[in-house]
Amino acid sequence: MRRAVAVLAVAVTASLTAAIPVAADDGGGLVVTAAAGTISARPSVPSIRVGRPLTIRGRVTPATLTKTVVVQRVVNGKWSDRASGPVAGDGAFAVPITPNAVGTYTLRVRSAGGSIVSSRFTLVVAPIPTISIAASASSIALSAPVTIAGTVRPANATTSVVSQRLVGGRWVDRDRAIVNPKTGAYGIVIHPADIATYAMRVRSSGGTVHSTSVRFSTFRKANDAVDLGVARPGERVVSLTFDDGPGAYTTQILDVLAKYHVKATFFVLGQYAQRYPDYLKRELRDGHHVASHSWDHPTLTKLSDSAIRTQLGWTQDVIVRAGGAPRCVRPPYGSTDARVEQIISEFRSSATVLWNVDPADWERPGTGAIVSRVMGAIRPGAVILMHDGGGSRGQSVAALDALIPRIQAAGYSIRPIC
Ligand code: ZN
């Protein structure tokens, strides 16, 4: 009799939790004959990023065991209900869940009544990685290297990243880089091959996570006598250029150049070319090339389009009225970008000319320092930057007198650019 009571208690619990068949009276009392059902369950993926949906799938056997199943998760050592879903006629179920926290979850599925449970299983929820991005420059000369670099967090979220460029409204893959597994750092060096504004981003190699985008512009420049077409590659030719004049020292510079029968290029400021027309005319009469260094030496990249046009247009007019034919522009401080280049190209003086040898003569480091800096740096195609204006240029005059014979003794010929 005690045994029969115990069996009855089990039967009541089972009938409450699931439709477990209960046998009829076998003549000796109420007896449960059916085994409890089974529930299989597993996640649709063993690991997933936080916030991404997945499905817990499984099967209830027998199919009639329960109409509903509940996914449970271990929280603080106790099983806690999480989500529920219906059981299909064939016993299959699929319960969608979306983990909202990073961690390793221990889960199981129970029948709606609670007494029948599946085996436990684990689900790893990883953080969504972030990829930072920065470009090493916002404006670079065509084909110069620019580095796209950043960090992947967490560092092991992806083993490689792919740079992408926005082309015609679509992100197009460019170059792949390995991610440092310890630091998450990556770096991609590219050499832009066309004049454009580049919008770029970096995606994980899996493709689902990408950085924000960065932009940089490319421009065309010439800073080498070969670029400027006055020397063949490797030819021992250098060019002398004088900026910021004309002024009080221009005549002395011209005298030194005449002494050695050397032609140079003067990048004049329009305001001084207008103020000292005789110096400008002598530069031209002596056979030197005269080109534009703007009207009054602003940073062109900081000016409006119309202000840049004024700087270039007024200066060009002064040179042309004196009989010159300016064919290039040297932006003050070498500061230029794609927008400035576009405006420069509107003028017939289409080339931007920088330099590649800078003795910093304007700092007045001493005649000897100017000479040794130039001689230590010249190479075929060198464009040497010196100054005949902007301050006291006595050192520049003396250095030039020493430099020309040394340059020539080193086997170089000196030709004007532009
Ligand atoms: Zn200057």
Side-chain angles (χ1 to χ4, degrees):
M1 188 60 198
R2 292 169 63 86
R3 180 173 176 273
V5 170
V7 168
L8 179 62
V10 169
V12 168
T13 303
S15 66
L16 284 172
T17 58
I20 297 175
V22 176
D25 182 13
D26 68 352
L30 190 62
V31 176
V32 174
T33 60
T38 59
I39 300 175
S40 68
R42 61 182 170 78
S44 55
V45 290
S47 66
I48 198 164
R49 301 290 179 197
V50 69
R52 297 282 159 77
L54 79 156
T55 305
I56 305 298
R57 298 180 190 284
R59 185 172 293 272
V60 173
T61 306
T64 53
L65 180 66
T66 180
K67 287 188 165 61
T68 305
V69 291
V70 181
V71 175
Q72 292 189 301
R73 176 189 165 195
V74 173
V75 179
N76 298 327
K78 292 178 62 181
W79 287 104
S80 168
D81 287 354
R82 161 107 217 211
S84 63
V87 176
D90 62 355
F93 63 85
V95 181
I97 63 172
T98 303
N100 56 16
V102 172
T104 298
Y105 290 66
T106 300
L107 302 170
R108 70 181 187 184
V109 173
R110 68 168 174 85
S111 59
S115 63
I116 310 295
V117 297
S118 72
S119 304
R120 66 180 60 191
F121 54 90
T122 59
L123 172 67
V124 176
V125 179
I128 292 180
T130 57
I131 303 176
S132 68
I133 182 173
S136 60
S138 60
S139 182
I140 61 161
L142 189 64
S143 299
V146 58
T147 301
I148 302 296
T151 307
V152 176
R153 293 267 182 255
N156 62 359
T158 182
T159 55
S160 64
V161 292
V162 180
S163 66
Q164 295 187 303
R165 182 184 170 196
L166 191 60
V167 179
R170 294 185 53 195
W171 290 102
V172 177
D173 286 354
R174 252 194 97 115
D175 298 295
R176 181 177 294 264
I178 300 298
V179 175
N180 183 315
K182 288 198 175 75
T183 64
Y186 68 87
I188 305 171
V189 178
I190 61 172
H191 293 78
D194 50 333
I195 300 287
T197 295
Y198 286 64
M200 298 196 69
R201 72 178 187 185
V202 168
R203 67 168 175 87
S204 60
S205 52
T208 54
V209 176
H210 58 76
S211 70
T212 56
S213 62
V214 290
R215 293 163 70 87
F216 62 89
S217 298
T218 54
F219 56 84
R220 180 175 285 111
K221 75 171 184 188
N223 55 13
D224 173 296
V226 176
D227 297 339
L228 294 160
V230 303
R232 296 186 304 278
E235 192 180 11
R236 288 180 81 79
V237 169
V238 301
S239 298
L240 290 167
T241 65
F242 298 92
D243 286 12
D244 297 355
Y249 291 85
T250 301
T251 303
Q252 296 176 56
I253 294 282
L254 288 167
D255 289 346
V256 174
L257 293 169
K259 173 179 166 187
Y260 296 104
H261 308 287
V262 165
K263 306 301 182 202
T265 302
F266 290 84
F267 288 95
V268 300
L269 292 173
Q271 62 172 352
Y272 296 138
Q274 185 178 59
R275 190 179 305 171
Y276 307 114
D278 291 347
Y279 296 155
L280 176 64
K281 284 175 183 161
R282 182 176 163 196
E283 287 171 354
L284 292 166
R285 194 170 62 241
D286 284 6
H288 301 295
H289 293 195
V290 176
S292 171
H293 193 40
S294 80
W295 183 258
D296 60 4
H297 216 275
T299 300
L300 295 179
T301 52
K302 293 181 178 172
L303 299 187
S304 68
D305 291 5
S306 66
I308 296 169
R309 290 189 179 95
T310 300
Q311 288 280 335
L312 300 181
W314 288 7
T315 305
Q316 175 161 301
D317 288 348
V318 171
I319 298 169
V320 168
R321 279 203 305 273
R327 290 185 308 187
C328 53
V329 173
R330 174 172 281 169
Y333 315 105
S335 178
T336 185
D337 60 19
R339 183 176 64 94
V340 170
E341 294 299 308
Q342 175 59 40
I343 295 170
I344 287 174
S345 73
E346 295 171 7
F347 293 80
R348 282 172 299 169
S349 48
S350 59
T352 298
V353 178
L354 303 181
W355 57 86
N356 54 21
V357 175
D358 180 5
D361 65 320
W362 58 273
E363 290 179 330
R364 297 195 283 275
T367 300
I370 297 171
V371 172
S372 62
R373 286 173 184 178
V374 171
M375 293 313 297
I378 63 166
R379 55 193 181 274
V383 174
I384 301 160
L385 169 64
M386 295 181 71
H387 294 80
D388 66 319
S392 174
R393 295 291 166 247
Q395 290 184 12
S396 301
V397 173
L400 183 65
D401 201 2
L403 267 173
I404 292 175
R406 289 190 59 174
I407 291 170
Q408 292 173 331
Y412 290 96
S413 60
I414 300 170
R415 292 180 199 158
I417 52 172
C418 300

